[in-house]
Amino acid sequence: MSAVTWVDAWSAEEGEQRARALFAASFDAEPDGTWSAPGRVNLIGEHTDYNGGLCLPIALPHRTYVAVRRRDDDLVRLVSAQDAGRLREVRLADVAPGTVDGWPSYVVGVAWALREAGHAVRGFDVAVDSCVPFGAGLSSSAALESAVAVALDATHGLGLAGPAGEPDDAGRALLAAACVRAENEIAGAPTGGMDQAASLRALAGHALLLDCLDGSVRQVPFDLAADGLALLVIDTRAEHALVDGQYAARRAACEAAAARLGLGTLREIDPDGLDRALATLDDGSDEGTVQVRRVRHVVREIARVQEFVALLDDDRLREVGPLMDASHVSLRDDYEVSCRELDVAVEAARGAGALGARMTGGGFGGSAIALVEGDAVQAVAAAVVAAFAAEGLHAPAFSVALPGGPAA
Ligand code: ADP
Ligand code: MG
């Protein structure tokens, strides 16, 4: 049987040392400091963020590290170990929607958005290294933006992130908003706000209940070890083209449905009123039929987040499995964002004894999560590897997620 590939998180020392070494090699100088921010995995509440709904991410132990030195001009010089250490340069004065290509857009986009919000941000040199899997649905993009956001906050004395060890949630909400603008307007990816909130606002040992209608959060204790459980993250390594178009199409269908119902967002639909809303949307047209499925997913998924949190509040973590399973079915059948690899991963994990499993993140590839007994992690991972091999799929990669701390 083939071996299980584990993607372990770096220690803080290793991450900082890597970013510092790349900085020194690229810029022949010492940085002002190093900062880092986590990727995230969403426990439940998928494709709800841009509908004013609820989601429940945790910060991963996997982080993106940046070494940064402030400059006195408006030049940004960037290198990333994930870009073969190639030096890139962007002038902040030139940054506007549509002007920056590739990964530098995520970085200079944050500086641009902070300037748009009235903060005096200058140029800087930045070296990036990361153990957050790239494009795996674990939000390496938000990890990069958030690490840059706290670095600029510190190097420019913006005072938004809060002192070390005492995160200022209100200030961090402003940093998260800047990161969302960077991703939407400069990188051109129409994502909601979940990823940036998780990376900047989720506390260690907690899941972050995010209300995307008003941006408010509640820290929900999430102690897997106390229940003898583990959260297995399965990176399917499935690459799918057309993701951007598919994501935008889902978002557009939700917005069109809300408009037809005379609502600001789908959040306004109460589960009790769902049937009535669906009957209104179901006008026999193809668009109407699609909107029925999309809206059904969103409204029920928001209700599942509430049930999931109620179970956590009640110390009944072991009972959340069926909610995870139902979320996956809904994303597969109603929202149509799953794919063969995700379905195989979820079914194999469940077949090997997982309490619950679901795709996580935007879909069309990326990662799945499975809630498993702490002593069954290896066996479940091995079962997923075997199922992928039997289906002729590329071998997946695994990690074990414990809720880590926010950008700092
Ligand atoms: P995800 O956020 O799920 O990992 P995305 O497609 O949203 O996937 O973001 C991945 C993109 O973010 C990469 O293609 C790259 O442009 C940028 N990125 C993320 N991390 C890094 C990094 N360490 N170095 C350079 N670019 C990065
Ligand atoms: Mg992303």
PDB file of all heavy atoms in Angstrom, residues 82-110:
ATOM      1  N   GLN A  82       8.184  30.712  -2.764  1.00  0.00           N
ATOM      2  CA  GLN A  82       7.248  29.970  -3.615  1.00  0.00           C
ATOM      3  C   GLN A  82       7.257  30.492  -5.051  1.00  0.00           C
ATOM      4  O   GLN A  82       6.536  29.999  -5.907  1.00  0.00           O
ATOM      5  CB  GLN A  82       5.830  30.029  -3.021  1.00  0.00           C
ATOM      6  CG  GLN A  82       5.633  29.096  -1.827  1.00  0.00           C
ATOM      7  CD  GLN A  82       6.409  29.514  -0.595  1.00  0.00           C
ATOM      8  OE1 GLN A  82       6.357  30.667  -0.174  1.00  0.00           O
ATOM      9  NE2 GLN A  82       7.151  28.590   0.001  1.00  0.00           N
ATOM     10  N   ASP A  83       8.049  31.535  -5.313  1.00  0.00           N
ATOM     11  CA  ASP A  83       8.218  32.098  -6.657  1.00  0.00           C
ATOM     12  C   ASP A  83       9.699  32.025  -7.039  1.00  0.00           C
ATOM     13  O   ASP A  83      10.234  32.900  -7.721  1.00  0.00           O
ATOM     14  CB  ASP A  83       7.714  33.554  -6.648  1.00  0.00           C
ATOM     15  CG  ASP A  83       7.777  34.214  -8.019  1.00  0.00           C
ATOM     16  OD1 ASP A  83       7.544  33.514  -9.028  1.00  0.00           O
ATOM     17  OD2 ASP A  83       8.060  35.421  -8.072  1.00  0.00           O
ATOM     18  N   ALA A  84      10.358  30.995  -6.534  1.00  0.00           N
ATOM     19  CA  ALA A  84      11.775  30.739  -6.834  1.00  0.00           C
ATOM     20  C   ALA A  84      12.669  31.905  -6.450  1.00  0.00           C
ATOM     21  O   ALA A  84      13.746  32.088  -7.023  1.00  0.00           O
ATOM     22  CB  ALA A  84      11.945  30.388  -8.324  1.00  0.00           C
ATOM     23  N   GLY A  85      12.220  32.722  -5.482  1.00  0.00           N
ATOM     24  CA  GLY A  85      13.066  33.799  -4.988  1.00  0.00           C
ATOM     25  C   GLY A  85      13.334  34.903  -5.994  1.00  0.00           C
ATOM     26  O   GLY A  85      14.277  35.685  -5.833  1.00  0.00           O
ATOM     27  N   ARG A  86      12.506  34.987  -7.045  1.00  0.00           N
ATOM     28  CA  ARG A  86      12.699  36.004  -8.090  1.00  0.00           C
ATOM     29  C   ARG A  86      12.289  37.387  -7.563  1.00  0.00           C
ATOM     30  O   ARG A  86      11.254  37.521  -6.924  1.00  0.00           O
ATOM     31  CB  ARG A  86      11.826  35.608  -9.275  1.00  0.00           C
ATOM     32  CG  ARG A  86      12.152  36.309 -10.543  1.00  0.00           C
ATOM     33  CD  ARG A  86      11.262  35.766 -11.644  1.00  0.00           C
ATOM     34  NE  ARG A  86      10.675  36.894 -12.348  1.00  0.00           N
ATOM     35  CZ  ARG A  86       9.688  36.806 -13.194  1.00  0.00           C
ATOM     36  NH1 ARG A  86       9.126  35.643 -13.435  1.00  0.00           N
ATOM     37  NH2 ARG A  86       9.237  37.866 -13.796  1.00  0.00           N
ATOM     38  N   LEU A  87      13.124  38.403  -7.835  1.00  0.00           N
ATOM     39  CA  LEU A  87      12.830  39.746  -7.316  1.00  0.00           C
ATOM     40  C   LEU A  87      11.815  40.463  -8.201  1.00  0.00           C
ATOM     41  O   LEU A  87      11.955  40.492  -9.420  1.00  0.00           O
ATOM     42  CB  LEU A  87      14.124  40.564  -7.254  1.00  0.00           C
ATOM     43  CG  LEU A  87      13.988  41.930  -6.590  1.00  0.00           C
ATOM     44  CD1 LEU A  87      13.716  41.796  -5.094  1.00  0.00           C
ATOM     45  CD2 LEU A  87      15.250  42.760  -6.806  1.00  0.00           C
ATOM     46  N   ARG A  88      10.806  41.034  -7.568  1.00  0.00           N
ATOM     47  CA  ARG A  88       9.791  41.793  -8.306  1.00  0.00           C
ATOM     48  C   ARG A  88       9.676  43.174  -7.682  1.00  0.00           C
ATOM     49  O   ARG A  88       9.958  43.348  -6.507  1.00  0.00           O
ATOM     50  CB  ARG A  88       8.448  41.091  -8.247  1.00  0.00           C
ATOM     51  CG  ARG A  88       8.543  39.636  -8.718  1.00  0.00           C
ATOM     52  CD  ARG A  88       7.178  39.131  -9.016  1.00  0.00           C
ATOM     53  NE  ARG A  88       7.217  37.768  -9.483  1.00  0.00           N
ATOM     54  CZ  ARG A  88       6.763  37.390 -10.665  1.00  0.00           C
ATOM     55  NH1 ARG A  88       6.269  38.271 -11.513  1.00  0.00           N
ATOM     56  NH2 ARG A  88       6.778  36.122 -11.007  1.00  0.00           N
ATOM     57  N   GLU A  89       9.240  44.130  -8.488  1.00  0.00           N
ATOM     58  CA  GLU A  89       9.123  45.514  -8.006  1.00  0.00           C
ATOM     59  C   GLU A  89       7.824  46.138  -8.479  1.00  0.00           C
ATOM     60  O   GLU A  89       7.425  45.960  -9.630  1.00  0.00           O
ATOM     61  CB  GLU A  89      10.284  46.370  -8.539  1.00  0.00           C
ATOM     62  CG  GLU A  89      11.638  45.960  -7.994  1.00  0.00           C
ATOM     63  CD  GLU A  89      12.742  46.958  -8.346  1.00  0.00           C
ATOM     64  OE1 GLU A  89      12.459  47.948  -9.065  1.00  0.00           O
ATOM     65  OE2 GLU A  89      13.864  46.724  -7.897  1.00  0.00           O
ATOM     66  N   VAL A  90       7.181  46.848  -7.575  1.00  0.00           N
ATOM     67  CA  VAL A  90       5.945  47.568  -7.915  1.00  0.00           C
ATOM     68  C   VAL A  90       5.999  48.925  -7.204  1.00  0.00           C
ATOM     69  O   VAL A  90       6.366  48.988  -6.032  1.00  0.00           O
ATOM     70  CB  VAL A  90       4.684  46.805  -7.434  1.00  0.00           C
ATOM     71  CG1 VAL A  90       3.417  47.578  -7.798  1.00  0.00           C
ATOM     72  CG2 VAL A  90       4.634  45.391  -8.011  1.00  0.00           C
ATOM     73  N   ARG A  91       5.626  49.996  -7.920  1.00  0.00           N
ATOM     74  CA  ARG A  91       5.510  51.311  -7.267  1.00  0.00           C
ATOM     75  C   ARG A  91       4.083  51.472  -6.759  1.00  0.00           C
ATOM     76  O   ARG A  91       3.123  51.252  -7.491  1.00  0.00           O
ATOM     77  CB  ARG A  91       5.798  52.446  -8.259  1.00  0.00           C
ATOM     78  CG  ARG A  91       7.222  52.523  -8.652  1.00  0.00           C
ATOM     79  CD  ARG A  91       7.744  53.962  -8.760  1.00  0.00           C
ATOM     80  NE  ARG A  91       9.188  53.901  -8.829  1.00  0.00           N
ATOM     81  CZ  ARG A  91       9.997  54.072  -7.789  1.00  0.00           C
ATOM     82  NH1 ARG A  91       9.503  54.380  -6.609  1.00  0.00           N
ATOM     83  NH2 ARG A  91      11.291  53.959  -7.921  1.00  0.00           N
ATOM     84  N   LEU A  92       3.950  51.867  -5.486  1.00  0.00           N
ATOM     85  CA  LEU A  92       2.600  51.979  -4.924  1.00  0.00           C
ATOM     86  C   LEU A  92       1.747  52.967  -5.704  1.00  0.00           C
ATOM     87  O   LEU A  92       0.540  52.777  -5.840  1.00  0.00           O
ATOM     88  CB  LEU A  92       2.674  52.385  -3.443  1.00  0.00           C
ATOM     89  CG  LEU A  92       3.089  51.268  -2.481  1.00  0.00           C
ATOM     90  CD1 LEU A  92       3.097  51.778  -1.050  1.00  0.00           C
ATOM     91  CD2 LEU A  92       2.150  50.070  -2.611  1.00  0.00           C
ATOM     92  N   ALA A  93       2.371  54.001  -6.239  1.00  0.00           N
ATOM     93  CA  ALA A  93       1.607  55.008  -6.996  1.00  0.00           C
ATOM     94  C   ALA A  93       0.958  54.391  -8.244  1.00  0.00           C
ATOM     95  O   ALA A  93      -0.046  54.913  -8.742  1.00  0.00           O
ATOM     96  CB  ALA A  93       2.516  56.162  -7.401  1.00  0.00           C
ATOM     97  N   ASP A  94       1.534  53.270  -8.721  1.00  0.00           N
ATOM     98  CA  ASP A  94       0.998  52.637  -9.937  1.00  0.00           C
ATOM     99  C   ASP A  94      -0.094  51.611  -9.639  1.00  0.00           C
ATOM    100  O   ASP A  94      -0.675  51.034 -10.562  1.00  0.00           O
ATOM    101  CB  ASP A  94       2.122  51.906 -10.691  1.00  0.00           C
ATOM    102  CG  ASP A  94       3.187  52.865 -11.191  1.00  0.00           C
ATOM    103  OD1 ASP A  94       2.860  54.065 -11.351  1.00  0.00           O
ATOM    104  OD2 ASP A  94       4.340  52.421 -11.401  1.00  0.00           O
ATOM    105  N   VAL A  95      -0.346  51.332  -8.346  1.00  0.00           N
ATOM    106  CA  VAL A  95      -1.290  50.257  -8.016  1.00  0.00           C
ATOM    107  C   VAL A  95      -2.732  50.751  -8.135  1.00  0.00           C
ATOM    108  O   VAL A  95      -3.117  51.757  -7.530  1.00  0.00           O
ATOM    109  CB  VAL A  95      -1.042  49.730  -6.581  1.00  0.00           C
ATOM    110  CG1 VAL A  95      -2.048  48.628  -6.236  1.00  0.00           C
ATOM    111  CG2 VAL A  95       0.383  49.201  -6.447  1.00  0.00           C
ATOM    112  N   ALA A  96      -3.498  50.039  -8.915  1.00  0.00           N
ATOM    113  CA  ALA A  96      -4.929  50.310  -9.090  1.00  0.00           C
ATOM    114  C   ALA A  96      -5.530  49.023  -9.634  1.00  0.00           C
ATOM    115  O   ALA A  96      -4.793  48.139 -10.101  1.00  0.00           O
ATOM    116  CB  ALA A  96      -5.142  51.457 -10.070  1.00  0.00           C
ATOM    117  N   PRO A  97      -6.855  48.858  -9.564  1.00  0.00           N
ATOM    118  CA  PRO A  97      -7.449  47.625 -10.094  1.00  0.00           C
ATOM    119  C   PRO A  97      -6.972  47.349 -11.522  1.00  0.00           C
ATOM    120  O   PRO A  97      -6.960  48.243 -12.368  1.00  0.00           O
ATOM    121  CB  PRO A  97      -8.949  47.930 -10.046  1.00  0.00           C
ATOM    122  CG  PRO A  97      -9.085  48.860  -8.873  1.00  0.00           C
ATOM    123  CD  PRO A  97      -7.860  49.727  -8.931  1.00  0.00           C
ATOM    124  N   GLY A  98      -6.496  46.130 -11.745  1.00  0.00           N
ATOM    125  CA  GLY A  98      -6.103  45.720 -13.088  1.00  0.00           C
ATOM    126  C   GLY A  98      -4.667  46.035 -13.466  1.00  0.00           C
ATOM    127  O   GLY A  98      -4.254  45.741 -14.589  1.00  0.00           O
ATOM    128  N   THR A  99      -3.871  46.615 -12.558  1.00  0.00           N
ATOM    129  CA  THR A  99      -2.513  47.024 -12.960  1.00  0.00           C
ATOM    130  C   THR A  99      -1.411  46.060 -12.518  1.00  0.00           C
ATOM    131  O   THR A  99      -0.300  46.146 -13.018  1.00  0.00           O
ATOM    132  CB  THR A  99      -2.151  48.410 -12.373  1.00  0.00           C
ATOM    133  OG1 THR A  99      -2.184  48.317 -10.944  1.00  0.00           O
ATOM    134  CG2 THR A  99      -3.112  49.485 -12.848  1.00  0.00           C
ATOM    135  N   VAL A 100      -1.693  45.165 -11.572  1.00  0.00           N
ATOM    136  CA  VAL A 100      -0.628  44.301 -11.031  1.00  0.00           C
ATOM    137  C   VAL A 100      -0.977  42.838 -11.310  1.00  0.00           C
ATOM    138  O   VAL A 100      -2.066  42.373 -10.971  1.00  0.00           O
ATOM    139  CB  VAL A 100      -0.468  44.487  -9.500  1.00  0.00           C
ATOM    140  CG1 VAL A 100       0.782  43.763  -9.018  1.00  0.00           C
ATOM    141  CG2 VAL A 100      -0.400  45.965  -9.141  1.00  0.00           C
ATOM    142  N   ASP A 101      -0.028  42.113 -11.916  1.00  0.00           N
ATOM    143  CA  ASP A 101      -0.247  40.702 -12.229  1.00  0.00           C
ATOM    144  C   ASP A 101       0.379  39.809 -11.166  1.00  0.00           C
ATOM    145  O   ASP A 101       1.378  40.171 -10.559  1.00  0.00           O
ATOM    146  CB  ASP A 101       0.410  40.349 -13.574  1.00  0.00           C
ATOM    147  CG  ASP A 101      -0.352  40.960 -14.737  1.00  0.00           C
ATOM    148  OD1 ASP A 101      -1.563  41.179 -14.589  1.00  0.00           O
ATOM    149  OD2 ASP A 101       0.291  41.234 -15.767  1.00  0.00           O
ATOM    150  N   GLY A 102      -0.201  38.619 -11.024  1.00  0.00           N
ATOM    151  CA  GLY A 102       0.434  37.566 -10.240  1.00  0.00           C
ATOM    152  C   GLY A 102       0.414  37.819  -8.742  1.00  0.00           C
ATOM    153  O   GLY A 102      -0.324  38.671  -8.236  1.00  0.00           O
ATOM    154  N   TRP A 103       1.275  37.068  -8.052  1.00  0.00           N
ATOM    155  CA  TRP A 103       1.210  37.080  -6.581  1.00  0.00           C
ATOM    156  C   TRP A 103       1.507  38.436  -5.954  1.00  0.00           C
ATOM    157  O   TRP A 103       0.970  38.724  -4.870  1.00  0.00           O
ATOM    158  CB  TRP A 103       2.090  35.976  -6.014  1.00  0.00           C
ATOM    159  CG  TRP A 103       3.561  36.223  -6.052  1.00  0.00           C
ATOM    160  CD1 TRP A 103       4.427  35.905  -7.048  1.00  0.00           C
ATOM    161  CD2 TRP A 103       4.334  36.855  -5.027  1.00  0.00           C
ATOM    162  NE1 TRP A 103       5.689  36.295  -6.722  1.00  0.00           N
ATOM    163  CE2 TRP A 103       5.662  36.874  -5.485  1.00  0.00           C
ATOM    164  CE3 TRP A 103       4.033  37.395  -3.774  1.00  0.00           C
ATOM    165  CZ2 TRP A 103       6.703  37.427  -4.730  1.00  0.00           C
ATOM    166  CZ3 TRP A 103       5.063  37.946  -3.020  1.00  0.00           C
ATOM    167  CH2 TRP A 103       6.378  37.954  -3.497  1.00  0.00           C
ATOM    168  N   PRO A 104       2.358  39.309  -6.576  1.00  0.00           N
ATOM    169  CA  PRO A 104       2.574  40.612  -5.923  1.00  0.00           C
ATOM    170  C   PRO A 104       1.281  41.405  -5.708  1.00  0.00           C
ATOM    171  O   PRO A 104       1.223  42.258  -4.817  1.00  0.00           O
ATOM    172  CB  PRO A 104       3.513  41.336  -6.899  1.00  0.00           C
ATOM    173  CG  PRO A 104       4.281  40.223  -7.552  1.00  0.00           C
ATOM    174  CD  PRO A 104       3.246  39.139  -7.752  1.00  0.00           C
ATOM    175  N   SER A 105       0.241  41.091  -6.479  1.00  0.00           N
ATOM    176  CA  SER A 105      -1.018  41.841  -6.320  1.00  0.00           C
ATOM    177  C   SER A 105      -1.611  41.650  -4.918  1.00  0.00           C
ATOM    178  O   SER A 105      -2.209  42.575  -4.365  1.00  0.00           O
ATOM    179  CB  SER A 105      -2.028  41.409  -7.391  1.00  0.00           C
ATOM    180  OG  SER A 105      -2.323  40.033  -7.264  1.00  0.00           O
ATOM    181  N   TYR A 106      -1.418  40.468  -4.326  1.00  0.00           N
ATOM    182  CA  TYR A 106      -1.958  40.228  -2.982  1.00  0.00           C
ATOM    183  C   TYR A 106      -1.225  41.092  -1.945  1.00  0.00           C
ATOM    184  O   TYR A 106      -1.800  41.500  -0.942  1.00  0.00           O
ATOM    185  CB  TYR A 106      -1.807  38.750  -2.596  1.00  0.00           C
ATOM    186  CG  TYR A 106      -2.642  37.814  -3.433  1.00  0.00           C
ATOM    187  CD1 TYR A 106      -2.137  37.242  -4.605  1.00  0.00           C
ATOM    188  CD2 TYR A 106      -3.947  37.497  -3.066  1.00  0.00           C
ATOM    189  CE1 TYR A 106      -2.905  36.382  -5.376  1.00  0.00           C
ATOM    190  CE2 TYR A 106      -4.713  36.638  -3.826  1.00  0.00           C
ATOM    191  CZ  TYR A 106      -4.187  36.085  -4.988  1.00  0.00           C
ATOM    192  OH  TYR A 106      -4.955  35.242  -5.757  1.00  0.00           O
ATOM    193  N   VAL A 107       0.053  41.324  -2.199  1.00  0.00           N
ATOM    194  CA  VAL A 107       0.880  42.066  -1.239  1.00  0.00           C
ATOM    195  C   VAL A 107       0.683  43.569  -1.399  1.00  0.00           C
ATOM    196  O   VAL A 107       0.319  44.274  -0.448  1.00  0.00           O
ATOM    197  CB  VAL A 107       2.371  41.696  -1.433  1.00  0.00           C
ATOM    198  CG1 VAL A 107       3.259  42.546  -0.534  1.00  0.00           C
ATOM    199  CG2 VAL A 107       2.580  40.213  -1.165  1.00  0.00           C
ATOM    200  N   VAL A 108       0.900  44.071  -2.606  1.00  0.00           N
ATOM    201  CA  VAL A 108       0.767  45.521  -2.789  1.00  0.00           C
ATOM    202  C   VAL A 108      -0.694  45.939  -2.681  1.00  0.00           C
ATOM    203  O   VAL A 108      -0.989  47.084  -2.347  1.00  0.00           O
ATOM    204  CB  VAL A 108       1.378  45.995  -4.139  1.00  0.00           C
ATOM    205  CG1 VAL A 108       2.865  45.688  -4.176  1.00  0.00           C
ATOM    206  CG2 VAL A 108       0.667  45.391  -5.332  1.00  0.00           C
ATOM    207  N   GLY A 109      -1.614  44.990  -2.927  1.00  0.00           N
ATOM    208  CA  GLY A 109      -3.039  45.282  -2.758  1.00  0.00           C
ATOM    209  C   GLY A 109      -3.368  45.680  -1.324  1.00  0.00           C
ATOM    210  O   GLY A 109      -4.200  46.562  -1.086  1.00  0.00           O
ATOM    211  N   VAL A 110      -2.700  45.038  -0.366  1.00  0.00           N
ATOM    212  CA  VAL A 110      -2.951  45.366   1.046  1.00  0.00           C
ATOM    213  C   VAL A 110      -2.462  46.787   1.341  1.00  0.00           C
ATOM    214  O   VAL A 110      -3.159  47.583   1.991  1.00  0.00           O
ATOM    215  CB  VAL A 110      -2.269  44.338   1.971  1.00  0.00           C
ATOM    216  CG1 VAL A 110      -2.416  44.745   3.437  1.00  0.00           C
ATOM    217  CG2 VAL A 110      -2.854  42.950   1.743  1.00  0.00           C
TER     218      VAL A 110
END
